[in-house]
Amino acid sequence: MEVAIRRYTAADGTAVGELSIRAWTPVFASMAAAMDAAVFSHFYPDWQQDQRKAVAYVCAAETNHVWVALLDQQLAGFVATTLHQASSMGEIVMLAVEPSYQQRGVGAALTNFAVEQFRSAGMRVAMVETGGDPGHEPARQTYVKQGFQLMPIARYFQAL
């Protein structure tokens, strides 16, 4: 089946927010296992509520462009992007795929779509950021397959 991509509308808001919770549940479980418990609870005291708010904010921000993916005429994922004109860089700000549609090319289709939007807008570089824990491995694999290269960055935390 071919992935159809269309512009996000406000009517998609609740469904996209709930999709993101289902998609990111294993990711947050992985991060909780990978991080010090006190640090995790500091950053994510109620990750589901915080993620719903973050998704709503990202989707409503005037500086962002948001699209949804449909597979079998069902909401299968979404991607939010922004253009950094000063640096000629397009950024994938947020991307999630419904768990039942993962490993079916939806993430790749959304990533490719975003990159094509960047090219059309005259951007010279595309960037996406994701986690280094095991729960983010599928995302990292998707980005590498789509031609992204890892920039080694280390970020350390200590609970006080």
Side-chain angles (χ1 to χ4, degrees):
M1 298 243 149
E2 187 172 323
V3 177
I5 298 176
R6 67 161 172 78
R7 189 165 291 281
Y8 168 92
T9 69
D12 297 316
T14 299
V16 163
E18 293 308 308
L19 175 155
S20 72
I21 298 303
R22 290 187 297 276
W24 294 330
T25 292
V27 170
F28 276 91
S30 174
M31 290 192 313
M35 295 174 71
D36 176 88
V39 173
F40 180 85
S41 65
H42 172 78
F43 284 111
Y44 310 108
D46 184 347
W47 76 263
Q48 292 179 341
Q49 178 181 332
D50 293 343
Q51 282 306 118
R52 283 185 185 96
K53 288 178 184 177
V55 169
Y57 175 81
V58 164
C59 290
E62 290 183 19
T63 57
N64 293 339
H65 306 278
V66 185
W67 294 273
V68 296
L70 304 171
L71 193 61
D72 303 328
Q73 299 179 349
Q74 299 296 315
L75 180 65
F78 80 100
V79 63
T81 66
T82 194
L83 303 175
H84 300 281
Q85 298 291 343
S87 60
S88 297
M89 183 178 74
E91 178 183 359
I92 296 175
V93 177
M94 196 174 275
L95 189 150
V97 176
E98 179 69 53
S100 63
Y101 289 108
Q102 291 175 3
Q103 303 300 314
R104 294 176 65 184
V106 176
L110 286 165
T111 302
N112 285 334
F113 182 86
V115 168
E116 287 306 313
Q117 295 299 309
F118 299 156
R119 280 191 185 103
S120 294
M123 300 295 103
R124 297 184 47 152
V125 174
M127 191 269 289
V128 63
E129 184 176 316
T130 193
D133 61 285
H136 283 94
E137 179 62 25
R140 291 191 306 273
Q141 288 178 4
T142 295
Y143 302 137
V144 168
K145 286 179 186 175
Q146 302 312 310
F148 285 81
Q149 295 178 344
L150 177 65
M151 173 188 278
I153 295 175
R155 185 180 292 172
Y156 295 88
F157 295 93
Q158 178 183 25
L160 304 177

